[in-house]
Amino acid sequence: MRLPVAPQGPRWRAEPYSPLRVTVAVPDFVALVRTRLADLGEGGRRRSSLLRRVPPLHVLLEWAARAGYGARGFVYLSAGTLILLSVLGIVGDTVGVKGSLDWLAMRPLGRFWMFLVGLGLAAFVVWRVLQAVFDADHEGTSRHGLCTRMSQAFSGFSYAALSFAALGLLVRAPEGDPAVEGVIRSQEQAATVLSMPFGKWLLIGVGLAIFGTGVANVVKAWREDFTEYLACSAKTCRRVSPLARFGHVARGLAYLPLAVLVVLAGLRSSASDVTSLGAALEAVERQPAGPWMLAGVALGFVAFGTFSFIEARYRRIRPPRDLNPLA
């Protein structure tokens, strides 16, 4: 059989045959999963009276976020109180945030408190994921919005580590001085980093990251409107805003001595030069006017913890109903 030939000539131009195009509708996998889970939930509610009493998912996420803010407030309030008591000579060496958990774990009902704190911080990590990935605060995809969401992601990683540390104290409670154990733990972690390829530069990078976190907290205290997400009266907002600013400045300044020591340890490739946050603050206390500076940091931690409790009560929690990370 002879195949058809396209016409030839000056008025005719041979054009290739267009291939056959087949369009296939690809279902939205996320939407399918969400719809299927919703159908299962509704079916379970119809069949079980117990499930009908369970609040909707967005309500549970709001409760988790508020519990997380409360757990964060408890941690910083405890750390600030212990630092202040150390300055006054009532307790032993100065401890940081992690050291305050160790100290609390050694007290009566310590494991019970660690269980509550660990779960609360885990709930706060879930809220940070919703903020950073699914834009629960509607920051958008602008430059400022992406920077805010990135900082929320880093915050989530740090509180995840703190949550694991609190829950780990359920299995192994500290036996010695929390301040000493904090220094030993930090030096062991630094030695692990230095043993890696380019470990010296990695440790320097860790120190610079800590320094950047401290500076970012100070800058945030200056620029941020901390009452933007609070659902309270204007009078209450004016009263609580200084707590947030003072708390962020104190957090930022507390990280700077530790950052300098970590960078120096990286430059010298010496893990023994690394210390904990509590030991770095104790080094500040030994300087001229050091007790006054450390007392200011302690009061700032208390202010930050107090503001976290205020956020647990008044913050606008808007869990995204549509979990779309690109929205």
Side-chain angles (χ1 to χ4, degrees):
M1 180 178 179
R2 189 175 180 182
L3 297 176
V5 180
Q8 304 293 329
R11 297 181 57 186
W12 296 94
R13 183 175 58 188
E15 296 186 4
Y17 291 101
S18 59
L20 180 64
R21 299 178 182 270
V22 179
T23 303
V24 180
V26 180
D28 187 349
F29 179 74
V30 176
L32 287 176
V33 173
R34 186 165 56 244
T35 303
R36 182 57 178 165
L37 291 176
D39 293 341
L40 290 175
E42 289 299 324
R45 288 174 181 270
R46 287 193 298 267
R47 290 190 297 268
S48 173
S49 59
L50 180 61
L51 290 179
R52 284 196 292 269
R53 300 177 184 177
V54 178
L57 178 60
H58 69 276
V59 176
L60 294 177
L61 291 175
E62 179 181 350
W63 291 354
R66 297 194 186 282
Y69 280 111
R72 185 180 72 170
F74 177 80
V75 169
Y76 275 93
L77 193 63
S78 302
T81 302
L82 288 175
I83 294 173
L84 188 60
L85 293 177
S86 174
V87 173
L88 298 175
I90 299 176
V91 298
D93 296 332
T94 304
V95 295
V97 176
K98 174 61 175 63
S100 66
L101 296 181
D102 294 339
W103 190 90
L104 290 172
M106 299 173 65
R107 307 278 82 79
L109 299 178
R111 293 192 175 185
F112 173 73
W113 288 114
M114 290 304 100
F115 177 74
L116 294 181
V117 169
L119 287 184
L121 292 176
F124 191 67
V125 172
V126 173
W127 173 239
R128 280 295 194 231
V129 171
L130 294 178
Q131 288 177 304
V133 180
F134 300 106
D135 197 14
D137 287 334
H138 306 289
E139 298 290 347
T141 55
S142 64
R143 180 179 178 182
H144 178 268
L146 291 177
C147 289
T148 301
R149 293 167 68 177
M150 186 178 300
S151 68
Q152 291 167 342
F154 282 115
S155 173
F157 282 118
S158 64
Y159 284 110
L162 198 60
S163 174
F164 279 118
L167 295 176
L169 293 173
L170 298 176
V171 180
R172 179 185 174 275
E175 299 177 354
D177 187 352
V180 175
E181 289 200 359
V183 174
I184 295 175
R185 184 168 52 247
S186 298
Q187 292 178 351
E188 290 176 348
Q189 293 170 350
T192 302
V193 173
L194 288 174
S195 64
M196 298 178 181
F198 306 102
K200 171 183 177 179
W201 299 108
L202 289 175
L203 191 59
I204 293 175
V206 170
L208 293 177
I210 297 174
F211 185 84
T213 301
V215 173
N217 272 272
V218 176
V219 173
K220 185 176 182 179
W222 180 261
R223 295 182 175 180
E224 189 78 7
D225 180 11
F226 294 99
T227 63
E228 179 182 359
Y229 300 106
L230 296 182
C232 56
S233 65
K235 183 179 180 180
T236 303
C237 287
R238 286 195 301 270
R239 289 179 175 178
V240 302
S241 179
L243 292 175
R245 298 190 188 282
F246 183 31
H248 278 81
V249 169
R251 281 210 318 167
L253 295 180
Y255 285 127
L256 298 185
L258 177 63
V260 172
L261 293 175
V262 173
V263 170
L264 291 177
L267 292 173
R268 299 168 182 169
S269 299
S270 175
S272 60
D273 292 339
V274 176
T275 187
S276 64
L277 176 60
L281 293 177
E282 191 171 358
V284 172
E285 186 181 9
R286 293 192 293 267
Q287 305 306 314
W292 292 102
M293 291 188 290
L294 194 57
V297 170
L299 293 176
F301 275 29
V302 171
F304 185 80
T306 304
F307 184 75
S308 293
F309 282 121
I310 294 171
E311 286 187 293
R313 170 62 180 87
Y314 291 111
R315 197 186 198 281
R316 294 187 181 95
I317 306 295
R318 297 172 292 186
R321 296 177 182 271
D322 184 15
L323 300 182
N324 183 5
L326 299 179

